Amino acid sequence: MTRTLLVTGGGGVGKTTVAAALGVTAAKAGMRTLVVTVDPAQRLATALGLAGLGHEPEPHADLENLWVAMLDSGASWRAVAERHAAPDVAERLARNEFFLAAAEHFPASQAYAAADQAATYAQAKAWDLVVVDTPPSGGGIDFFTAPAQMADLVGGRLLRWITGGPLPGRRFFYERAARPILRIADTVLGSDLLERVTEFLLDLRTTYDGVAQRGREIERVLKDASILVVTTTNPAPLHEAIRFYRTLPDLASTPKAVVFNRSLPDSWADPPKRLRADVREIVDRWSAETVRQRDFRDEFSARYGATVVSIPLTPRPPTDLEGLAELAVSASGMPWADLGIGFSQ
Amino acid sequence: MAGTRLFLVSGKGGTGKSAVSAALALRAQRQGDRVLAMEIGEEGSLASHFATTPLAFEPREVRPGLHAMKVSRPDALLEYLSLQLRLPGVGRFGGRIARAFDALATAAPAVREIITIGKVYWEVRSGRWDTVVVDAPPTGQIGSYLRAPQSIKELVPTGRIRGQAESMAGTLSDPEITRLVLVTVPEEVPTAETEETLAWLDREKVVPPPRVVVNRVLPVLEVATRPTGVAGEMVDLHQSLVAEQQIWLDRLPGDVQLPYLFGVYTPAEVAANLSDGMEAVL
């Protein structure tokens, strides 16, 4: 059976690095592991052997049992058209400017692509573990709501609003002048734009049954997945982490743990009192920061009953497989068994 | 008396964009400006940086002379339709129209952005403010907002919105009015994203050349001899972090640097602390 591990969190917290470190650890423990990443930093991409690779899972050149894939956010919209629309409609959609714009700008596009691909790899049964680095859009929550949002969009919510009624036929263009909403839209945007958008939506509507069914499959995979929330003690990512603990139990499962990345050692909270002035300049700053971190971590754990994992702050993020493995070793409190990863320290 | 100045603050998520926006607004308020701070998007944290309750569409005075508001798209659209276009029927069909357009905005490129950036434009033009500070969407999305007036001109052959798009484009590209502030931190990914954004802006020329603000810069502190124990560990980490950050500082334009704030607990304290360094941005 394939286990799926979703690594979520706000932007800039080192989520991709943590996902990669977990994947490397699992592969080293003998599990056939796939890491799916979103737009990794240059140095991390190099460490994962991603430089110059396409979007399909590829075995890592230097580590047995490790596969790596990079998310292709445009792919899902193309797949929606190819899988679920008639060939002529799919072709028309692929050329449609609004289809291309929606693929790029629909807020949940990247999240839908990630969720769709995560589900595809989980269903492929080719791996023991699939680790997914989730995209940050919507504070990370989009990943879990994207299948429903996509079905909603395709299903004609927009069409109903524009036409003010049930599913329209093409003749609606000729009756348009009768509807106040459309009169206003005409004045503001010009009739040509509205006509082209509606045509696109009518084409997209034909994919609804397929998209809705696929959405339910994706949601099943996400509900069965284990979740880790990565954060730092900076206010913005911490705020996102709190949102996950409040929202996720309704959408998926309760997170297995919250990972505080870039943590300072607790022993720094209480430094020696007698120090030279030049040393004190540095020590006062870092001990104040350590105390703040500890307070934020303690409050989070008390309020949400979360398993807390700390990964120490290092001067630079890991840049090779060894560094990623060491980062996993340095994580204190990681519930390895709960995540299904065989790991002994 | 010079006209209203507009500061659009963007940056990669997590770099302190909202904190810098709030700090900028506070600094302008302190020098006696009538200031409007605007938040765009659902996930903003501008209110917490002013230590106030969640913001609404109606500007609220959060400090003497400093108002803050949140641009929500349905509200901005209704206001646009009724006040700017003076369309009949908006009152009666208001809710439905706003929802229809909001749905339309998901599919039609630039419609969502033009409504939001349009609200900013009307506030700048209103003459009520000396300084308007916008906590704008992150760098990943800022391009589609800044380019929205252009996109509308390309997409919409007729319609009243097209005429207004011309005027908006003019305001956004006027160096006397508009300044884009890009917030970043001296790390690999934010540095790369800043470079990409700068290159895009250089190509598109939709706003005047931006000002880059590097946030969370560690101070260079020399130590005569390395101490032992915990103090030694702290000195080692500090010096390695300073060396690492220098790699990215060397690559970034050094317009303005803001200090790393150690042991500061609340967003309001962060904004107040950073506001001292905002002179160079104003």
Side-chain angles (χ1 to χ4, degrees):
Chain A
M1 189 194 119
T2 302
R3 285 190 76 126
T4 309
L5 175 57
L6 308 174
V7 183
T8 61
V13 295
K15 193 167 29 121
T16 311
T17 305
V18 172
L22 291 165
V24 167
T25 306
K28 286 193 161 193
M31 299 173 78
R32 293 165 58 88
T33 304
L34 170 65
V35 175
V36 187
T37 76
V38 185
D39 203 14
Q42 193 62 51
R43 297 194 288 195
L44 184 63
T46 309
L48 288 173
L50 272 170
L53 285 190
H55 294 290
E56 292 299 308
E58 299 268 357
H60 194 282
D62 301 324
L63 181 58
E64 210 186 337
N65 291 325
L66 182 65
W67 278 256
V68 185
M70 191 143 73
L71 180 75
D72 178 4
S73 57
S76 298
W77 281 76
R78 288 196 301 276
V80 162
E82 282 161 17
R83 260 189 237 154
H84 307 304
D88 59 320
V89 177
E91 205 176 299
R92 199 158 57 221
L93 278 171
R95 283 195 316 265
N96 186 292
E97 64 200 298
F98 296 107
F99 184 75
L100 299 173
E104 201 179 326
H105 294 293
F106 180 46
S109 264
Q110 205 192 30
Y112 181 80
D116 187 25
Q117 277 175 41
T120 302
Y121 298 140
Q123 290 170 324
K125 301 193 189 328
W127 296 277
D128 300 318
L129 178 70
V130 176
V131 185
V132 185
D133 165 28
T134 64
S137 85
I141 294 289
D142 273 0
F143 180 80
F144 297 92
T145 56
Q149 284 189 52
M150 185 65 128
D152 194 32
L153 177 70
V154 169
R157 175 179 63 113
L158 175 48
L159 270 178
R160 284 194 300 277
W161 281 119
I162 293 181
T163 58
L167 209 59
R170 304 215 172 228
R171 73 195 157 82
F172 120 89
F173 291 123
Y174 306 107
E175 297 166 356
R176 188 171 49 208
R179 299 187 193 284
I181 288 177
L182 296 175
R183 271 208 312 276
I184 290 171
D186 259 8
T187 319
V188 179
L189 296 167
S191 53
D192 184 47
L193 181 83
L194 196 68
E195 210 159 300
R196 282 181 292 156
V197 169
T198 310
E199 208 151 16
F200 152 62
L201 290 167
L202 286 170
D203 277 346
L204 197 61
R205 179 68 177 72
T206 67
T207 66
Y208 178 69
D209 290 341
V211 168
Q213 194 197 336
R214 179 67 187 148
R216 287 191 294 273
E217 282 173 29
I218 296 172
E219 280 172 347
R220 263 200 303 280
V221 172
L222 299 188
K223 276 207 160 63
D224 289 339
S226 304
I227 299 170
L228 271 188
V229 176
V230 183
T231 185
T232 67
T233 47
N234 285 335
L238 199 60
H239 181 76
E240 301 292 359
I242 289 169
R243 259 173 28 106
F244 274 111
Y245 269 82
R246 289 195 180 143
T247 329
L248 274 186
D250 295 336
L251 299 168
S253 60
T254 304
K256 299 280 186 199
V258 57
V259 179
F260 282 92
N261 199 14
R262 301 185 194 138
S263 290
L264 299 167
D266 283 347
S267 61
W268 288 14
D270 214 359
K273 297 283 170 280
R274 296 165 60 82
L275 291 166
R276 287 196 322 264
D278 58 343
V279 175
R280 178 154 298 289
E281 283 284 309
I282 291 178
V283 168
D284 281 352
R285 287 181 162 88
W286 288 103
S287 64
E289 190 65 353
T290 307
V291 170
R292 182 187 70 86
Q293 281 200 354
R294 196 187 55 191
D295 288 350
F296 279 25
R297 239 178 15 235
D298 288 353
E299 196 197 326
F300 193 98
S301 138
R303 184 170 298 179
Y304 298 99
T307 301
V308 167
V309 179
S310 296
I311 295 180
L313 172 66
T314 53
R316 60 193 62 82
T319 55
D320 54 21
L321 290 176
E322 266 329 292
L324 288 168
E326 280 168 27
L327 182 123
V329 172
S330 74
S332 67
M334 186 70 81
W336 292 108
D338 207 12
L339 300 176
I341 299 176
F343 177 82
S344 53
Q345 214 158 351
Chain B
M1 172 74 203
T4 303
R5 296 189 64 202
L6 167 64
F7 294 89
L8 298 167
V9 184
S10 182
K12 182 173 158 47
T15 56
K17 181 171 70 64
S18 299
V20 169
S21 306
L24 197 53
L26 287 169
R27 186 70 189 78
Q29 178 250 357
R30 218 156 61 205
Q31 69 182 31
D33 287 6
R34 293 167 303 159
V35 183
L36 177 65
M38 305 175 85
E39 175 174 271
I40 292 179
E42 293 304 308
E43 303 301 324
S45 60
L46 198 55
S48 70
H49 289 286
F50 294 129
T52 185
T53 47
L55 302 174
F57 188 68
E58 188 59 34
R60 188 173 75 229
E61 195 162 27
V62 293
R63 298 280 191 288
L66 166 57
H67 286 70
M69 64 164 291
K70 173 196 178 109
V71 182
S72 64
R73 205 164 56 230
D75 286 326
L77 177 73
L78 277 187
E79 186 184 86
Y80 172 78
L81 293 176
S82 59
L83 289 181
Q84 310 304 338
L85 294 182
R86 296 195 182 82
L87 284 177
V90 169
R92 197 148 50 98
F93 300 107
R96 274 183 66 192
I97 292 170
R99 281 194 298 266
F101 264 77
D102 207 47
L104 179 67
T106 343
V111 169
R112 167 179 53 221
E113 291 86 353
I114 199 80
I115 290 164
T116 309
I117 207 82
K119 174 62 180 167
V120 173
Y121 166 80
W122 296 115
E123 289 297 338
V124 169
R125 292 270 301 243
S126 73
R128 289 173 68 194
W129 319 104
D130 300 311
T131 301
V132 174
V133 179
V134 181
D135 183 2
T139 35
Q141 302 162 29
I142 191 70
S144 49
Y145 281 86
L146 297 178
R147 217 190 165 282
Q150 297 288 344
S151 307
I152 286 287
K153 285 198 299 187
E154 290 160 15
L155 265 166
V156 185
T158 57
R160 264 189 249 177
I161 210 170
R162 186 198 153 94
Q164 286 163 346
E166 306 256 0
S167 176
M168 285 184 206
T171 296
L172 287 179
S173 61
D174 185 343
E176 298 291 310
I177 302 172
T178 302
R179 170 164 290 174
L180 175 65
V181 177
L182 290 180
V183 184
T184 186
V185 291
E187 293 171 20
E188 181 188 351
V189 179
T191 300
E193 200 167 306
T194 306
E195 288 173 335
E196 279 169 30
T197 308
L198 287 171
W200 183 88
L201 288 164
D202 196 46
R203 276 197 311 276
E204 296 282 335
K205 300 197 178 2
V206 281
V207 288
R211 189 63 64 94
V212 174
V213 171
V214 188
N215 196 14
R216 294 196 206 118
V217 177
L218 292 166
V220 176
L221 297 168
E222 299 299 338
V223 171
T225 48
R226 183 192 179 279
T228 54
V230 166
E233 290 170 23
M234 294 190 202
V235 169
D236 287 348
L237 180 76
H238 187 87
Q239 307 305 26
S240 320
L241 287 170
V242 167
E244 169 72 12
Q245 85 174 3
Q246 195 57 46
I247 298 171
W248 312 111
L249 287 176
D250 287 345
R251 266 173 59 174
L252 288 163
D255 298 346
V256 181
Q257 293 190 358
L258 298 174
Y260 189 104
L261 299 173
F262 291 87
V264 175
Y265 278 68
T266 67
E269 288 172 280
V270 170
N273 269 298
L274 293 181
S275 69
D276 293 333
M278 285 299 145
E279 185 102 42
V281 183
L282 284 174

